[in-house]
Amino acid sequence: LRCALLAEARLPEAVMKKEQVLSCQLSAWYPLFRKLTIRSIILPLPQNVIDYLLDDGTLVVSGRIETPSCSHAGDGSDEEQDIQWSDDENVTTLTAPEFPDFAAKVQEAINSLGGSVFPKLNWSSPRDAQWIAMNSSLKCNNLSDIFLLLKSSDFVTHDLTQPFLHCTDDSPDPKIYPQLVLRKWCELIPGGEFRCFVKENKLIGVAQRDHTQYYDHVCNQAANILSSILDFFRNQIQYKFLDEDFVFDVYRDSQGKMWLIDFNPFGEVTNSLLFSWEELTSGQTISKGDLKDPDSPAFRYITSEMTVQPSPCLSYRLPKDFLDLSRGEDAHKLIDFLKLTRSQEPESSEDEG
């Protein structure tokens, strides 16, 4: 009896199936909701480009114009200083691979979308690599900009290598065809984007997408914002998506018009923001929003500057190995680090002697 009671008390986990993940690819839902979202162009990724993106070697961005490594001007001593970078005679110069056919298609797509684009793969954008861009933005004008972000992103690597990592079904992994998605660049105000959680085709929760900031207009217009989102869901999304459990992001512009931004799987692979996945999947009623409608979803947003939360993407500004070591989350890396430290100790002692 006690075991039975414990089993009943245990909160259910989010059940995310591989078919649900497939449904959230932009290429799967874009034809159905083209008129509601940002104009996009989808290009298949050639295998040689995929290999380049997954290459763990030195980051060399294809298409970038490099300055000469040394100058022919000056006296002999200056030239000698320029070329003596290493004592290793086997040092080779890395050159960026070129993909002329793919580059031409990408540039044609960029031009047709107005000259600037927001890049992503089947599911994920390289938000975690935004810091590495020269303008600290995901705005790209050419293939070099795109490659720099994609090669620096753990989110993109997940798309290419482990898209079904958190799925609960044991069926064989479906065949994936990696795609580069180019979306027309739009200047979106972060305070206008909201994440919506749908379970069994019912909107159960809405959260402020950017929980790292307090937005006065969200607090002042909470009821109107929630009403607009609920109407948009009922008229444009409900019963039209490919699954009954999913997450979608919307943007409400300054005129009150709603735009569909993206779909995500209903599961832990998707950031639940101001909710927890335990409460979203528990089946229990979540505290309601500001509307009197009994079907109104819970609406959570930052109510003051004291309640803002740190951005999860900040952790990606350091190498993941460093973060794992500092948190003690990877014992193997810690062991390797200790071995490396110990192997260097004799050298240090000899130098001191």
Side-chain angles (χ1 to χ4, degrees), residues 55-288:
D55 180 16
D56 290 332
T58 304
L59 176 62
V60 180
V61 180
S62 175
R64 187 172 297 279
I65 299 176
E66 302 291 349
T67 58
S69 58
C70 61
S71 173
H72 295 289
D75 56 26
S77 60
D78 291 338
E79 290 182 3
E80 184 177 358
Q81 290 178 358
D82 286 340
I83 61 175
Q84 288 183 348
W85 291 101
S86 173
D87 294 332
D88 186 356
E89 297 180 355
N90 297 321
V91 171
T92 58
T93 302
L94 294 175
T95 58
E98 298 295 336
F99 312 100
D101 294 339
F102 181 67
K105 294 177 182 178
V106 169
Q107 195 58 52
E108 181 182 358
I110 292 175
N111 294 340
S112 68
L113 292 172
S116 298
V117 297
F118 172 91
K120 62 178 296 183
L121 295 194
N122 301 46
W123 297 276
S124 304
S125 67
R127 291 186 297 107
D128 56 323
Q130 180 173 331
W131 63 275
I132 203 172
M134 293 295 292
N135 55 358
S136 294
S137 169
L138 296 180
K139 182 178 182 179
C140 296
N141 301 317
N142 52 57
L143 184 58
S144 295
D145 295 342
I146 295 171
F147 274 162
L148 178 62
L149 290 169
L150 297 185
K151 277 189 68 67
S152 307
S153 171
D154 288 340
F155 295 172
V156 165
T157 301
H158 175 271
D159 273 20
L160 293 174
T161 60
Q162 297 177 309
F164 306 109
L165 178 62
H166 297 285
C167 293
T168 55
D169 48 340
D170 296 327
S171 60
D173 288 353
K175 176 67 175 177
I176 295 297
Y177 300 94
Q179 300 163 334
L180 173 63
V181 177
L182 302 177
R183 314 202 74 183
K184 181 180 177 62
W185 179 259
C186 300
E187 295 288 348
L188 303 182
I189 301 173
E193 192 170 356
F194 303 90
R195 173 154 290 181
C196 308
F197 300 88
V198 178
K199 185 178 181 182
E200 297 177 355
N201 273 319
K202 181 180 179 180
L203 184 60
I204 62 173
V206 177
Q208 177 180 319
R209 185 71 176 86
D210 178 18
H211 54 51
T212 67
Q213 299 291 333
Y214 164 74
Y215 296 99
D216 189 63
H217 75 277
V218 175
C219 288
N220 294 335
Q221 304 175 32
N224 290 335
I225 292 173
L226 185 57
S227 179
S228 297
I229 292 174
L230 188 56
D231 288 342
F232 181 78
F233 170 69
R234 287 172 172 170
N235 297 329
Q236 306 290 354
I237 306 295
Q238 192 174 29
Y239 305 119
K240 297 177 182 178
F241 187 62
L242 303 173
D243 287 297
E244 60 176 15
D245 297 339
F246 56 92
V247 179
F248 69 99
D249 295 333
V250 294
Y251 180 77
R252 187 175 186 263
D253 64 22
S254 58
Q255 306 300 317
K257 182 176 180 180
M258 302 296 301
W259 296 87
L260 175 64
I261 300 299
D262 205 358
F263 284 98
N264 297 285
F266 189 87
E268 294 183 6
V269 68
T270 300
N271 191 336
S272 58
L273 301 175
L274 299 175
F275 294 93
S276 68
W277 277 113
E278 287 77 12
E279 60 183 329
L280 289 170
T281 58
S282 66
Q284 300 176 359
T285 302
I286 307 175
S287 58
K288 295 300 181 181

Side-chain angles (χ1 to χ4, degrees), residues 314-334:
L314 289 178
S315 62
Y316 293 95
R317 298 193 179 193
L318 284 174
K320 188 174 184 299
D321 290 350
F322 288 6
L323 293 170
D324 290 342
L325 282 173
S326 66
R327 296 170 179 170
E329 292 181 355
D330 194 321
H332 296 291
K333 289 177 183 175
L334 180 58

